[in-house]
Structures are given as C-alpha cells and as structure tokens.
Amino acid sequence: MTFNRRKFIAVGAATAATLSAPRVLADNHGKPRVVVIGGGSGGATAARYIAKDSKGAIDVTLVEPSRTYFTCYFSNLYIAGFTELDDISHTYGTLAAKYGINVVHDWAVDVDRDAKTVSLAGGSVLPYDKLILSPGIDFVEGAVPGWSVAAQNKMPHAYKAGSQSELLKAQIMAMPQGGRFAMVAPPDPFRCPPGPYERISMVAHVLKQTNPTAKILLVDPKETFSKQGLFEEGWERHYSGMIERVGPDFGATNVTVDPEAMTVDIDGSVENVDVCNVIPAQKAGRIADMAGVTDGNWAPVNAADMSSKADPDVHVLGDAAQQGDMPKSGFAANSQAKVCAMAVRGALTDSKVFPAKFTNTCWSLIAPDDGVKVGATYEATAEKIAKVDGFVSQTGEDAATRKATYEESVGWYAGIIADMFN
C-alpha cells in the first residue's frame, strides 16, 4: 500500500503521534485551530476537553517536548517510597488515538501573535486561531546567590519532577549517618504552596527509617507558610528534634549557597550540609514571556475565560497565570483548563458557555496515613478569580480522619490523571 502524506499524518496521530511533525496543520480542512503549549495539568486537560467536546469540529495540536509527563504532585511521595516513579509518569498516546489530538514532541521557541503562529525548534510553524499557554514554571535567575540551573545536579531543585526527583532521592539515601539535609524554600508566589513542607515531611520520614540521627535544616524566607500549624504539629509528633526551621527573623532572607563546598550561608553563618535542595523563586515558563503576555514574572489573565490581558486569542493556564486568589497547583490548573476549554470551544463553534467556576484542594502527607488538606471554591469577577469560601484540616484530628484524608488524595490523583490523559 502506498501512503500519501495526509494518510501518513493521520496514522501517525492515531498511533500516539510521538514523532515531531514537520508541518502539522498545514492542511486543516477549514476547521478552527487551537494550539496548546505545555502538556501538564492545564495543557493536557484543555486539549482533551476541546477535542472531546467539539467532537472533531476543532483541530487541536498539543506541543510538549517531553514524551513522558511526571506529575509534581505525588513526587514527594516518590522520594519517601510511598509510590514508584512509574506511578507518577504518564504518556500522551490516548490523547492522540482517542481524541485525534496532534501531539507534537518539540519545543515551542517563538510566538508571533500578529501572524498567529507558533514556531518550533524543529522548524515547524503552527498556525492558530486560539493559543493556550500552559508552560508551568521557570526559575528566577540569581534568586539564590551561588545557585543556577547549572548547579542542579549538585543541589537539585526537584520542582520539575522526573530525573530531578530521582537525583534528590538518591542523594538522601546516600547521606552519611547523622548527616544533614538542607532545603532553601522559595518566596511567594510559587508552585504548590504546601509542596516544600510536604517534602520536608517526606524526607524526615525516610531519614527516621534509615538515618535516625540525621538532621534537617529548613531555610525559609517567608514569615508563614501554607498549613503551617498542621505541619509543625505533625513534625513534633512524628519527627521530634529532627527539623529546624530558620525564618526571616534569623537571616533566611539573606542566603547564599556554594554547591562545590556544599555549604549554606545564612546571613553570614556558614552551615555545612550533606544534601541541599534549593527551590528558587519562580516565574512563568519562558514561552509566556516570549509571547509577550507577561507583566513581571507572571501572565495576567481575565478570570472569565483565562484569556491573556494582552491578547484575547491567547489563554494562559495554571502556574504561569496571574489570576487572583487561586494557588499555583495541579488541581487549580485542571480547574482553569476546563473553564478555558469551554470558552474557547464557545468562541470557535458558537456552543453554549456557562459562567466560570473554579475549585481547588491541596493535599499533603506528613507521615504514613497522616494526610491534611486545604481548599476553596472560587468565582470569576471583573478583577480576578476570587475566593468564595474555603476549608482546611484542623490540628488535633484523630487518626481515622487523617487516614481518610490521605486516601481521598489517592482517589483524586487517579481522577485527575483520567481527566488529563484518558
């Protein structure tokens, strides 16, 4: 059988579209075109919902350089041994085969908003009618003096899951008995506000089992942090005497690191450590800046549809967006993606659009079967995504409640993965 070019592209998409396509969307049969950049909780969800709910009426291309997506949520549990790396890794085959999404594994390197095109590193140029940016985070250069991305193999950030998670876990397991683990926590705002503190908990869990005389130094520039009372109660109960937190009153806003010497300088006091997890200040993924939709470190959006305040045909989701009261979390990105997908589908096919509503919950594991959570519901206002009401776990909860909270998080993980990839 002889395959012409059009048939080849169709078959490639149906078999997971794992090769970069040199001219994807060159022939789109007159359908409106949506390009989604970033295949995480925001991008994958938006692509799936637009393709699924439009029933083929919209041509959807998802641009994501990684063939395997590792969720940042639950990556701390991988470090602690509660889950395996395979359990938090996911691929894009179903999005291509079931929904006809063109999955292109390449880097987006430029956006021309006047021409409405996206340029890829491999040379492709993708036209769009609507562009959705969900690039996650990048790090602010120089945020922690002495640290750069070039030093991430000596002092890993592990705030983009995958190989960095593996590296940090290996370093923790190789610590000498009685050694010292340090974390430099980020300033607000940053991806997953409870994330650094869940990680401290999970590192403490590992060390309690394998290296019980080890110590943990948490250097934190913030006066307070998400679920602080719950974490501190849990640390005292499960890991008494192991964790020391140095806040801004004791020099945590003046910190430098030396990856070669493996030291942390806290306002002139030099601390020797065996492992140092540096989580720098964060900003929107680089493509948002290249597209010209950022103002400072983040991309301001309209709450009703997640459209950029710089361009109504560009939408920004998740961690990269400056949207109001929602935290930067996987749950939030997934919630925003559904609002955005409905709005984009409505604009391109004249389908009904309902008022935007958003929800979020952030779960954290402190110790085995000791889970806590915080969450809220939100609505779109003219100014921002605004919090309507919220909830948080309480200190002193019984073991059954905490176990149920952890089990709830496991169920949520299965649900969001299905919502993104199945």
Side-chain angles (χ1 to χ4, degrees), residues 251-274:
T253 56
N254 183 24
V255 175
T256 62
V257 298
D258 186 335
E260 296 299 327
M262 198 55 67
T263 59
V264 181
D265 185 322
I266 307 169
D267 201 24
S269 175
V270 178
E271 307 289 337
N272 294 295
V273 298
D274 298 288

Side-chain angles (χ1 to χ4, degrees), residues 147-154:
W147 190 94
S148 69
V149 174
Q152 66 183 352
N153 287 340
K154 293 182 180 293

Side-chain angles (χ1 to χ4, degrees), residues 35 37 111-114 116 118 128-134 287-288 291-293 299-302 305-317 340 344:
V35 174
I37 298 177
V111 174
D112 186 331
R113 286 172 27 219
D114 293 328
K116 287 194 171 183
V118 174
Y128 68 83
D129 296 294
K130 291 284 188 177
L131 174 63
I132 298 174
L133 302 178
S134 191
I287 193 64
V293 297
V301 297
N302 298 298
D305 60 0
M306 301 302 296
S307 63
S308 166
K309 291 190 174 181
D311 189 330
D313 290 325
V314 177
H315 300 252
V316 187
L317 305 177
C340 174
V344 167

Side-chain angles (χ1 to χ4, degrees), residues 3-55:
F3 282 81
N4 63 30
R5 179 173 179 76
R6 187 179 306 167
K7 288 181 178 177
F8 176 78
I9 291 176
V11 171
T15 57
T18 55
L19 298 177
S20 296
R23 286 294 179 265
V24 174
L25 292 185
D27 182 1
N28 62 79
H29 307 289
K31 295 179 183 179
R33 299 158 298 192
V34 173
V35 174
V36 182
I37 298 177
S41 301
T45 304
R48 177 179 176 270
Y49 269 79
I50 291 169
K52 174 177 70 72
D53 293 344
S54 72
K55 303 185 188 316

Side-chain angles (χ1 to χ4, degrees), residues 138-145 147-149 280-283 297:
D138 277 331
F139 299 118
V140 176
E141 186 176 354
V144 180
W147 190 94
S148 69
V149 174
Q282 294 157 30
K283 61 181 181 180
N297 287 335

Side-chain angles (χ1 to χ4, degrees), residues 166-212:
E166 290 183 289
L167 175 61
L168 183 59
K169 181 175 182 176
Q171 289 183 350
I172 293 165
M173 297 306 296
M175 280 175 58
Q177 290 297 307
R180 201 175 194 194
F181 173 93
M183 173 190 284
V184 179
D188 292 323
F190 61 96
R191 163 183 281 174
C192 189
Y197 312 99
E198 180 187 63
R199 180 170 295 171
I200 289 291
S201 305
M202 295 297 92
V203 172
H205 168 75
V206 171
L207 295 178
K208 183 177 179 179
Q209 310 304 311
T210 64
N211 195 345

Side-chain angles (χ1 to χ4, degrees), residues 295-355:
D295 182 4
N297 287 335
W298 308 103
V301 297
N302 298 298
D305 60 0
M306 301 302 296
S307 63
S308 166
K309 291 190 174 181
D311 189 330
D313 290 325
V314 177
H315 300 252
V316 187
L317 305 177
D319 298 339
Q322 179 180 307
Q323 38 69 19
D325 294 344
M326 294 190 85
K328 298 181 184 298
S329 74
F331 196 130
N334 175 261
S335 179
Q336 293 163 16
K338 294 174 188 177
V339 169
C340 174
M342 179 176 57
V344 167
R345 181 169 56 89
L348 296 179
T349 66
D350 202 29
S351 59
K352 187 172 180 59
V353 177
F354 296 93

